[in-house]
Amino acid sequence: IYLPDFKYGNNDYGRRYSKVPDYFDKVSQAITEMYEQVGSALIYENGVVVRGLIIRHLVLPNGLADSEEVFKFIAELDSKIHISLMAQYFPTNRAEKNILLNRAVRNSEFDRVADLLDKYELENGWIQEMESQDFYRPNFDQDREDPFGNKKLFDVSDLKP
């Protein structure tokens, strides 16, 4: 199964924010190759995907993902490709010092990107909840052994009478 991230819809943002020259060109070539190998259908066995292509796209503040170009490319390749639209962006490390990246994604920004799925007739996939940025972020300062707090979620001692 292929699960690539398609972060930017142009080469400039890829170079500027991730230091990857020709980002869009390289990612679009790689995704085209993945698509040629497996197509757009997902193959399930026992309720688990075992073959297919799911493209992850993280919405960034201030339109810095250039999501429309990402979706336009995907739709031209095959509008049946599955997309996981993610809202979990949280500024860390050097992003905190960049005025364009130093905040979470606003609801209006995420809604605009989600609407683009309809514009390009991309109907297969998943849309993450806006609150996900609070749940999918590890806290290594608080607990290095359980940074996501999973042990608390699945503590069986809480279930005993």
Side-chain angles (χ1 to χ4, degrees):
I1 182 162
Y2 289 114
L3 188 64
D5 287 319
F6 202 155
K7 197 165 193 173
Y8 307 106
N10 68 61
N11 289 323
D12 182 50
Y13 290 166
R15 180 188 49 73
R16 189 180 312 170
Y17 299 112
S18 292
K19 299 191 182 341
V20 179
D22 304 320
Y23 176 91
F24 181 83
D25 296 339
K26 290 175 181 176
V27 170
S28 57
Q29 286 177 332
I31 287 176
T32 298
E33 176 61 30
M34 294 173 200
Y35 172 76
E36 288 174 0
Q37 291 180 25
V38 299
S40 60
L42 298 182
I43 308 300
Y44 290 82
E45 287 181 11
N46 299 319
V48 177
V49 177
V50 295
R51 180 177 169 86
L53 171 62
I54 301 170
I55 299 173
R56 296 172 6 131
H57 181 64
L58 178 65
V59 178
L60 296 174
N62 295 300
L64 294 179
D66 202 3
S67 300
E68 184 152 10
E69 290 303 312
V70 170
F71 293 161
K72 182 179 176 184
F73 169 81
I74 294 170
E76 289 172 356
L77 188 60
D78 185 341
S79 64
K80 294 185 179 4
I81 290 174
H82 290 74
I83 297 171
S84 175
L85 184 62
M86 301 181 298
Q88 66 197 48
Y89 176 77
F90 182 81
T92 60
N93 199 11
R94 286 180 265 160
E96 294 175 336
K97 296 177 179 120
N98 184 315
I99 194 167
L100 297 175
L101 291 170
N102 69 357
R103 63 171 175 80
V105 173
R106 294 184 177 120
N107 286 339
S108 60
E109 292 170 315
F110 191 76
D111 290 344
R112 188 189 74 71
V113 173
D115 288 343
L116 291 172
L117 293 171
D118 290 333
K119 177 178 178 178
Y120 289 98
E121 299 179 355
L122 298 164
E123 298 176 358
N124 290 332
W126 304 266
I127 298 175
Q128 200 172 49
E129 299 293 327
M130 279 296 294
E131 297 80 17
S132 64
Q133 66 173 313
D134 297 327
F135 301 109
Y136 296 112
R137 186 176 62 228
N139 187 343
F140 292 107
D141 293 331
Q142 186 176 33
D143 188 344
R144 292 206 61 80
E145 290 183 26
D146 186 27
F148 287 98
N150 292 334
K151 289 179 183 176
K152 293 177 211 159
L153 293 174
F154 300 105
D155 187 358
V156 290
S157 64
D158 290 342
L159 301 175
K160 294 179 182 178

